[in-house]
């Protein structure tokens, strides 16, 4: 066991099992104390490496993350404190691994419930190698104005109130982490504050004892008196009694053992800690308090009188000239986190993203305000989900059914079209699903599947202006623009596209109005008089019918309809639908284990 001071203003730690809040509290304490370097040198997160962003005062810093204890110790040889936030299942193994590292001097084990047999092995190894174990079941410890472990002393407000940002003259040790916070406050009220505080943990076998730390405090010149808070159960306090009797401690010790109320219960009571259970008269709080009193410690008559005893002891030291007045300093202001400040109404900050279609902040996500569970419970389909997420409203059933029909009819058009071809070539090159899908999607444009919006735009403009099919087609010809939605490489006037016929049949049976579709058919009649392949294709059918859907449903204003077409909603239908087919082609090629594609020479015209 170490015989002097454990920590200093340059102490650095390795933090095992990343926890954002306790690390940030350590860094905030560093800033409060005026440290030049962060007290957390590295983080150990098994299985991951990289960096974690945290704040050191106003500055954002990146703390290295290592996957193993060995790698972390090698990377940060000056970090000699290991703060273990592992669960009780792995705390012992990771703590032993840390103790075996030559650079580690102190190990703090936060977890409760570490098997006693494992703890005994850790204690034996630490003693044999002159290392210190704090815990298990500890909140840690603190050196005022220099270094603290994890959540020790709680919030920054509590730390400031307890004057822990600068050193005092009192060494404090307790079994309880929660009571440590209470005593830090008490000590700050009636003395110049603590110099060092340790919570050894409430397990039956703590890694270090009350007397271990009191004896350390006795060797630290800056510590002028000690305060000890024990509890019923175990015999740890008796080692302190022996040290007092043997004259190993020459500084005043104020002590109290909690749990005197246990005698009021008829049967034995297990208090909060695993070790807080009296195993006989010797382990009772009354017996321990009496033994400490007889050994020379200042022991009050009750916990309520403890503050007065601390005050009186400190004042005697001041009168004797053994305590020099501590120069008070004003700690720096810790910058408040933005989220905290926003919640408290102190600041306002602009958001970076606007979303109106979904919300995942409640108990379940909502689509345009409709809970996801409600969508499923009502038996709604993909068309309804598109209705909510794309159009931000629940469209009538015939509308959502039309959307679903469009998706089904446009899902695939064979392996020879450009999109499918690109996807197949990419999949055969050994690329992953996303790469193969995107390769095919990137071909979608004015010449392949991307004419739906243009078809809707031109048909709507011509119809709304009252242009005859002749005037419309001839005006487009004069501009050098092919009529979007008209023309097909394979289909002819006497061999119509079955998909177009299905869509028209559905619309005539279900839509309130099909004026735009009928206009497109009239345009087709005129274009067929010029060439037999200038038929209304699926892009033109979907584009014109979507105009009828938007206008006939009565749920969209003219401005909204124009915006939907301008943004590219209708092409979105083709992208969504064709993704199904492109994914299918990717899987098909993978399943067939097709080799790398190379285009045949005979299919290329080589010319000068």
């Amino acid at each position: 066991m170490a015989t002097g001071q454990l920590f200093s203003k340059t102490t650095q730690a390795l933090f095992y099992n990343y926890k954002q809040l306790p690390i940030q509290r350590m860094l905030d304490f560093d800033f409060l104390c005026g440290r030049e370097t962060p007290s957390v040198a590295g983080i150990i997160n098994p299985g991951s490496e990289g960096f974690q962003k945290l704040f050191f005062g106003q500055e954002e810093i990146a703390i290295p993350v290592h996957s193993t204890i060995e790698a972390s110790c090698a990377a940060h040889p000056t970090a000699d404190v290991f703060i273990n936030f592992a669960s009780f299942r792995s705390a012992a193994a990771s703590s032993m691994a840390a103790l075996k590292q030559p650079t580690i001097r102190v190990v703090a084990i936060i977890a409760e419930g570490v098997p006693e047999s494992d703890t005994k092995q850790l204690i034996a190894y630490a003693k044999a190698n002159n290392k210190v174990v704090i815990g298990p079941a500890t909140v840690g410890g603190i050196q005022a104005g220099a270094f603290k472990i994890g959540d020790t002393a709680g919030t920054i407000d509590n730390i400031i109130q307890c004057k822990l940002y600068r050193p005092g003259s009192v060494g404090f040790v307790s079994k309880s982490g929660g009571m440590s916070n209470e005593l830090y406050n008490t000590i700050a009220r009636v003395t110049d504050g603590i110099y060092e505080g340790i919570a050894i943990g409430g397990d039956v076998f703590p890694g270090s004892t009350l007397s271990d730390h009191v004896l350390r405090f006795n060797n630290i010149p800056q510590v002028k008196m000690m305060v000890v808070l024990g509890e019923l159960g175990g015999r740890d306090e008796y080692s302190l009694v022996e040290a007092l009797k043997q004259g190993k401690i020459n500084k005043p010790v104020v002590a109290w053992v909690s749990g005197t109320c246990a005698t009021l219960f008829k049967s034995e009571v297990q208090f909060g800690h695993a070790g807080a259970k009296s195993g006989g008269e010797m382990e009772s709080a009354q017996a321990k308090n009496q033994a400490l009193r007889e050994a020379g410690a200042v022991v009050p008559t009750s916990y309520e009188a403890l503050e007065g005893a601390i005050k009186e002891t400190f004042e005697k030291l001041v009168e004797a000239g053994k305590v020099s007045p501590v120069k008070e300093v004003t700690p720096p202001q810790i910058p408040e986190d933005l989220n905290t400040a926003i919640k408290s109404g102190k600041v306002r900050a602009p958001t970076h993203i606007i979303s109106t279609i979904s919300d995942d902040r409640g108990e379940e996500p909502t689509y345009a305000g409709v809970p996801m569970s409600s969508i499923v419970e009502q038996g709604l389909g993909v068309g309804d989900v598109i209705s909510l997420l794309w159009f931000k409203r629940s469209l009538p059933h015939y509308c959502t059914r039309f959307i679903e029909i469009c998706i089904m009819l446009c899902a695939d058009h064979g392996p020879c079209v450009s999109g499918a071809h690109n996807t197949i070539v990419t999949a055969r090159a050994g690329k992953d699903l996303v790469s193969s899908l995107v390769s095919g999607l990137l071909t979608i444009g004015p010449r392949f599947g991307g004419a739906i919006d243009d078809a809707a735009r031109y048909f709507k403009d011509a119809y709304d202006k009252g242009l005859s099919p002749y005037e419309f087609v001839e005006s487009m010809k004069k501009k050098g623009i092919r009529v979007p939605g008209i023309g097909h490489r394979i289909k002819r006037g006497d061999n119509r596209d079955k998909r177009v016929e299905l869509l028209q049949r559905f619309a005539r049976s279900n839509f309130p109005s099909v004026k735009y579709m009928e206009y497109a058919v009239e345009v087709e009649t005129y274009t067929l008089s010029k060439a037999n392949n200038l038929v209304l294709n699926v892009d033109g059918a979907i584009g014109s019918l979507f105009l009828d859907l938007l206008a006939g449903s009565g749920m969209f204003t003219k401005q909204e309809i124009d915006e939907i077409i301008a943004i590219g909603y209708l092409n979105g239908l083709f992208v969504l639908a064709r993704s199904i087919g492109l994914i299918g082609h990717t899987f098909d090629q993978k399943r067939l284990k097709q080799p790398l594609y190379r285009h045949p020479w005979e299919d290329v015209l080589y010319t000068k």
Side-chain angles (χ1 to χ4, degrees), residues 467-502:
L467 298 180
S468 67
Y470 166 81
E471 292 171 326
F472 169 50
V473 174
E474 295 304 321
S475 66
M476 294 288 283
K477 183 178 179 180
K478 288 179 181 178
K479 296 174 185 176
I481 303 173
R482 292 182 177 180
V483 178
I486 295 290
H488 203 285
R489 289 178 59 86
I490 299 172
K491 297 300 179 181
R492 298 289 185 269
D494 54 356
N495 179 27
R496 301 297 180 88
D497 191 329
K498 189 72 174 178
R499 297 175 298 173
V500 173
E501 293 177 345
L502 286 169

Side-chain angles (χ1 to χ4, degrees), residues 144-263:
F147 177 85
K148 89 179 186 90
I149 294 171
D151 292 316
T152 301
T155 65
I156 288 297
D157 289 341
N158 188 65
I159 287 170
I160 293 173
Q161 188 173 351
C162 297
K163 300 179 181 178
L164 297 171
Y165 51 83
R166 52 91 176 135
S169 305
V170 180
F172 171 75
V173 61
S174 165
K175 287 189 175 181
S176 169
M179 288 304 297
S180 294
N181 279 355
E182 183 67 29
L183 265 294
Y184 292 153
N185 194 289
T186 298
I187 292 169
R189 284 199 303 267
V190 297
T191 73
D192 61 2
I194 73 157
Y195 184 80
E196 184 183 324
I198 298 290
I200 66 171
D203 278 2
V204 177
F205 298 101
S208 51
T209 65
L210 297 172
S211 59
D212 286 338
H213 294 287
V214 171
L215 289 169
R216 270 198 318 102
F217 295 157
N218 196 65
N219 295 329
I220 300 173
Q222 296 92 330
V223 175
K224 307 301 182 183
M225 64 175 283
M226 285 81 87
V227 175
V228 180
L229 184 65
E231 63 186 25
L232 84 164
R235 301 199 174 192
D236 187 10
E237 289 81 1
Y238 288 105
S239 61
L240 177 56
V241 168
E242 289 304 311
L244 287 165
K245 286 181 176 179
Q246 294 170 13
K248 295 180 179 180
I249 301 168
N250 53 30
K251 297 176 182 179
V253 176
V254 180
W256 176 254
V257 179
S258 297
T260 54
C261 66
T263 56

Side-chain angles (χ1 to χ4, degrees), residues 70 73-74 77 79-80 97-106 125 129 131:
E70 293 76 13
C73 290
D80 57 3
L99 285 171
K100 290 181 177 179
Q101 300 304 308
T103 56
I104 297 299
R105 185 174 50 87
V106 179
Y125 187 90
N129 292 273
K131 299 194 177 189

Side-chain angles (χ1 to χ4, degrees), residues 280-328:
E281 179 60 30
M282 284 279 290
E283 296 186 11
S284 69
Q286 284 84 350
K288 292 181 180 182
N289 281 325
Q290 183 61 31
L292 286 165
R293 187 179 292 112
E294 292 173 355
V298 177
V299 181
T301 56
S302 66
Y303 177 80
E304 288 74 16
L306 180 60
E307 180 174 336
I310 296 170
K311 180 180 181 182
E312 183 180 347
T313 303
F314 181 76
E315 289 175 348
K316 286 180 180 179
L317 290 170
V318 173
E319 290 172 5
K322 294 183 178 180
V323 175
S324 301
V326 172
K327 182 181 178 182
E328 287 297 340

Side-chain angles (χ1 to χ4, degrees), residues 315-488:
E315 289 175 348
K316 286 180 180 179
L317 290 170
V318 173
E319 290 172 5
K322 294 183 178 180
V323 175
S324 301
V326 172
K327 182 181 178 182
E328 287 297 340
V329 296
T330 302
Q333 180 73 35
I334 298 291
E336 193 168 13
D337 287 343
L338 182 60
N339 289 340
T340 304
I342 290 173
K343 287 180 180 178
S344 64
K346 293 180 180 178
V347 299
R348 58 188 181 189
T351 55
H352 297 90
I353 293 175
I354 301 173
S355 177
T356 64
I357 64 170
S358 62
D359 192 335
D360 60 346
R361 294 171 298 175
E363 292 187 5
E364 62 173 313
T366 61
Y367 296 164
V370 179
M372 190 180 294
S373 60
S374 174
I375 295 170
V376 175
E377 289 165 359
Q378 293 179 55
L380 303 182
V382 172
D384 297 284
V385 172
I386 294 172
S387 164
L388 293 170
L389 291 178
W390 291 16
F391 301 102
K392 295 170 52 177
R393 65 204 74 189
S394 294
L395 294 175
H397 178 68
Y398 74 85
C399 296
T400 59
R401 179 58 183 157
F402 175 76
I403 292 172
E404 292 172 355
I405 291 172
C406 290
I407 292 172
M408 290 188 287
L409 295 180
C410 296
D412 192 51
H413 204 202
C416 298
V417 296
S418 56
H421 179 80
N422 272 18
T423 288
I424 290 169
V425 170
T426 306
R428 289 177 61 166
K431 300 292 283 185
D432 60 276
L433 170 63
V434 174
S435 301
S436 302
L437 171 62
V438 170
S439 176
L441 290 176
L442 287 174
T443 64
I444 295 176
R447 297 181 181 179
F448 169 62
I452 302 177
D453 283 307
D454 283 340
R457 187 177 301 112
Y458 283 113
F459 283 143
K460 183 176 186 300
D461 182 67
Y463 178 86
D464 291 349
K465 287 180 178 179
L467 298 180
S468 67
Y470 166 81
E471 292 171 326
F472 169 50
V473 174
E474 295 304 321
S475 66
M476 294 288 283
K477 183 178 179 180
K478 288 179 181 178
K479 296 174 185 176
I481 303 173
R482 292 182 177 180
V483 178
I486 295 290
H488 203 285

